[in-house]
Amino acid sequence: MTGFVVRRIGQMALALLGVSVIVFALIHFVPGDPVRTALGTRFDPDVYEALVRRHGLDRPLVIQYFSWLGSALQGDLGVSFRSGQPVTGLVLERLPATLTLAGAALAVALVVGVPLGVVSAVRSGSKLDYIASAVSQVGVSVPDFWAGIMYILLFSLTLGWLPPSGYVSPLVDFTGWLRHLVLPALAVGLVSGSIIFRFVRSAVLEALNQDYVRMARAKGLSRRAVLFDHVLPNAWIPIVTVVGLQLGFLLGGVVVVEIIFAWPGIGRLAYLAVGDRDFTVLQGSVLYIATMFLVINLVVDLLYAWLDPRVRYD
Amino acid sequence: MTEPAAETTVGVVAHRSRLRTTAETVLRNRLAVFGLVILVLLVLVALAAPLIAPYTINEVDVANRLQGPSSQHWFGTDELGRDVFSRVIIASRVSLQVGFVSVGIALGLGVPVGLIAGYYGGRIDSILMRLMDILFSIPAIVLAIAILAALGPDIVNAMIAIGVVYTPIFARITRGSVLTLRDAVFVQAARSIGASDLRIIGNHVFPNVIAPIIVQTSLSLAFAILAEAALSFLGLGVQPPNPAWGRMLSEGRAFFQQAPWMAIFPGLAIFATVFAFNALGDGLRDALDPQQRSIIESRGRS
Amino acid sequence: MTQPVLSVRDLSVTFRTREGPAKVVDRISYDLGPGETLAIVGESGSGKSVSSLALMQLLPTPPAVVEGEAIFEGRNLLTLDEPEMQKIRGNRIAMIFQDPMTSLNPVRTIGHQLMEPIELHLGLTGRAARERAIELLHLVGIPSAEERIDDYPHQFSGGMRQRVVIAMGISCEPDILIADEATTALDVTTQAKIIDEIKGLQERLGMSLIWITHDLGVVAGVADRVVVLYAGHIMEEADVDDLFRVRRNPYTRGLLASLPVPGRTSRRLEAIPGLPPDPLRPPRGCPFSPRCPYVADVCVREEPALREPVPGHRSKCHFDPEDLHA
Ligand SMILES: Nc1ncnc2c1ncn2[C@@H]1O[C@H](COP(=O)(O)OP(=O)(O)O)[C@@H](O)[C@H]1O
Ligand SMILES: [Mg+2]
């Protein structure tokens, strides 16, 4: 187990390093001079000079990378090409909003996908299974941003139940915060929920067909006991893995949905940075999102190992 | 043990004779057939779009702006009085094109990487797959946004970005299948008679990993079209004045209350296309995926 | 004759498949005496597993349709309700399966899985259940059971796992143990050891044993009586010595001819040519007629009855053994 944990953490560190190279390289993919591009019509030779010097863009690439990496490790991602504010501060300010939305969306996805998936598998071939499977087939094909727009159209503009967009801090107005959270969380969560439903259903179906399930029934256990004591503990293992992978998809959905709902998270920050050609802010946003994804996947893998004795006792 | 010997020794031949049963299985799967029918319709519409479209895409008619669906304008008109129906069907061309080209890129990069990593193993394998892991560790749409931000918003760049983003999936799937084959009898046999690696990979390994790749191709087309729509929605894909579903959606947002059809119909078009590829992919998986098949066949075992 | 523990009468199992009904067990009847070992032998797919799963009500219905009777202590097992059946499964009638690799749940400890029937049927809990489990592991020959009880299945070898499965089977001292290909997945030496152990346990516990196998070779050393199953039909039933002395049925002859004879390795094995019939399209007449070397007109026209020309020896064939000429 410790071997596995160490190996897995090492892998994550390596992946992070790779991500940092990609993120660093981002600026250097920009055709021409990124700072000049960023400043555009507001070009001012003094600001230009300052930015180039601040980011060391006049030094050789390798040195640039390592000094960038060194600062990044200390939490310094440079300053915004646009506003001159520190990037780390800009990103961290928006991190809680993104985490909240991602967490809420995941909660929706799990609450919808897991129980329905289990029931569908146990009653496979039933009307419920048929309907749930058909709905999920639709669910996986709906673009989340379109779903978001349709929800706004229906629940805000037509029915007037929920606010169409925006954000209030839960510390100021908790129910207001919750009301703002519902639609974006549903937009992202229901799509992921459909995918999770399908995996749960097939994982449970697969577990149900194992010999040890028949053996457990032959020992006199009830269907219910077999389900909870033998089927599900085995089904969780692939399910946990898939939920981990789903998180990448879910984070991507969060990024786009943030924009529709004017949700002040990292996705919206990145989007605005793209429009502003503010490459340092974009770098910071991408780095944080990728790190979040890697950390979550690490946690998921450790959970996986803990669930599976074949890995735990290795 | 119950596996017929022919299947394990002469993979290529076995595959060809299996084509028929595969086709039959796919055609028996109602969902797959449904997806296939939608797809064929979509492709026909896309090919014939300039002939079918009642208006040209940029036929401005301000007098008739923001009109609801009618017999003249099936899907209504937009803020400039352009015909939404014409724009939706013309836009299907670019969506399908981006889908096919970007998945083509992903295939072209991912499959060779997977073949090489799986076949040679060892250090080459670790290096290539770690690289893929790194690409995989940035959520796809975020990576695509980053690539497009650097390269500049443009349809060709969007295809490249989506293609790069989906490369690791193909590399992983191919490698996984190759690993199960590397020590198979027919590969060993080919090696023992001195066939070159290239020849072995091309003649023996590749034909046996096609099935999972085909399944993944169909599913990835669905993802790619979703990704293109998202990128165009964000203004990073297709540039005006050309219509794209994602772009039409985002333009429609501003006129939401007066003209909901501007957002509804392009969204439905995205949904139908993605649904068709997903359904076909699922049907293909049922027909081609060996694991699924073995469950069905295991009925015959003791 | 003593009262049988289990009387199976006209047991049939039909699967409703997309291509139509498939009758995979066709009106089989047999008795199992107290302490007796009955072997059910037949090629893969002949309905051995399905017929015994049907007794335990462990077939999914649908698609399976089960008909007939299986009388155990005056009650028909096939019509008992689920709670009643749960009291019998693992307790009065236990069943163990072919593959020791897959019969154990990989994410539960051996002890957990072994204590389940003990807690359920014997009402033992905590320490007592654990001690009983350790005792059982000792009984089936697992060394240092006290420590190994908390191990997971993947930490055991194949033979050891099958011993654990056997321990689960006998944990509540059942009246009947159904062993479905219990040793098939093991190597020959381990197989012989396990068979010895099961026989020993059977004597100590006085249980009846239904020994299901496709290998007629091991039957001689294990069984008292033998039922030969082909395509869901009983083709022959006899005391084990009778069966080996007078093989009344052409199918049994074919089966025996395909056995390797120890010491006579040079002889070619004569596998029965052809394949068992597709249960969706059973042949007219005798189920074995398409493969039978002695086939006559009547065999294709009429299904033979399961006749009992000699008391205690039944054979499903139109002919007597001395009349069979190729
Ligand atoms: N769930 C099922 N649906 C349809 N047919 C089945 C099912 N389970 C078993 N069968 C069929 O029943 C027949 C008998 O199977 P089985 O009893 O497992 O044979 P064996 O004698 O090898 O144990 C086989 O032809 C098998 O294909
Ligand atoms: Mg069997």
Side-chain angles (χ1 to χ4, degrees), chain B residues 38-88:
Chain B
I38 300 179
L39 265 186
V40 169
L41 283 178
L42 275 169
V43 170
L44 287 180
V45 166
L47 289 176
L51 301 174
I52 303 172
Y55 301 85
T56 61
I57 45 169
N58 288 313
E59 207 166 316
V60 175
D61 178 8
V62 186
N64 277 319
R65 65 198 293 264
L66 303 177
Q67 295 294 307
S70 65
S71 56
Q72 273 95 54
H73 300 284
W74 290 358
F75 291 178
T77 62
D78 68 5
E79 79 279 13
L80 297 174
R82 295 175 298 190
D83 181 47
V84 174
F85 176 68
S86 303
R87 289 174 67 79
V88 165

Side-chain angles (χ1 to χ4, degrees), chain A residues 210-223 228-231 233-234 237 307-314, chain C residues 53 56 58 82 86 89-90 95-97 99 102-108 112-113 116-117 120-121 152 154-155 165 168:
Chain A
Q210 298 299 313
D211 288 353
Y212 54 75
V213 169
R214 199 174 51 176
M215 184 78 217
R217 294 272 294 142
K219 285 190 281 190
L221 268 65
S222 66
R223 283 213 172 77
F228 284 99
D229 217 46
H230 291 277
V231 176
N234 277 282
I237 296 168
L307 278 174
D308 190 342
R310 283 161 293 189
V311 184
R312 205 186 325 152
Y313 292 91
D314 229 16
Chain C
L53 287 168
M56 301 282 274
L58 283 176
E82 178 63 23
Q86 279 169 20
R89 288 191 204 116
M95 189 162 181
I96 57 180
F97 300 99
D99 196 343
T102 56
S103 287
L104 293 170
N105 186 338
V107 307
R108 291 280 180 245
H112 180 102
Q113 301 183 58
E116 272 173 344
L120 198 63
H121 301 303
Y152 286 89
H154 74 275
Q155 293 164 302
V165 170
M168 289 188 339

Side-chain angles (χ1 to χ4, degrees), chain C residues 77-103:
Chain C
L77 292 176
L78 306 184
T79 54
L80 287 184
D81 62 9
E82 178 63 23
E84 285 298 326
M85 211 52 221
Q86 279 169 20
K87 281 185 218 149
I88 289 180
R89 288 191 204 116
N91 186 20
R92 312 298 308 281
I93 306 179
M95 189 162 181
I96 57 180
F97 300 99
Q98 170 163 7
D99 196 343
M101 301 300 169
T102 56
S103 287

Side-chain angles (χ1 to χ4, degrees), chain A residues 214, chain B residues 297-302, chain C residues 13-17 22-25 41-53 59-60 63-64 98 180-181 212-214 229 232 277-279:
Chain A
R214 199 174 51 176
Chain B
E297 280 177 0
S298 66
R299 277 205 311 120
R301 285 189 329 184
S302 68
Chain C
V13 180
T14 310
F15 285 104
R16 302 228 173 281
T17 72
K23 196 164 195 176
V24 300
V25 175
V41 191
E43 286 170 288
S44 169
S46 54
K48 307 181 295 290
S49 299
V50 167
S51 61
S52 42
L53 287 168
L59 284 177
Q98 170 163 7
D180 187 353
E181 309 262 12
I212 297 177
T213 180
H214 68 273
L229 216 54
D278 180 350

Side-chain angles (χ1 to χ4, degrees), chain A residues 2 19 37 48 76 81 113 150 159 161 163 169 187 190 200 206 251 290:
Chain A
T2 33
V19 168
T37 314
Y48 178 83
D76 174 11
F81 281 176
M150 292 296 116
L159 297 170
W161 291 352
S169 162
L190 287 182
V200 171
E206 161 128 27
L251 279 173

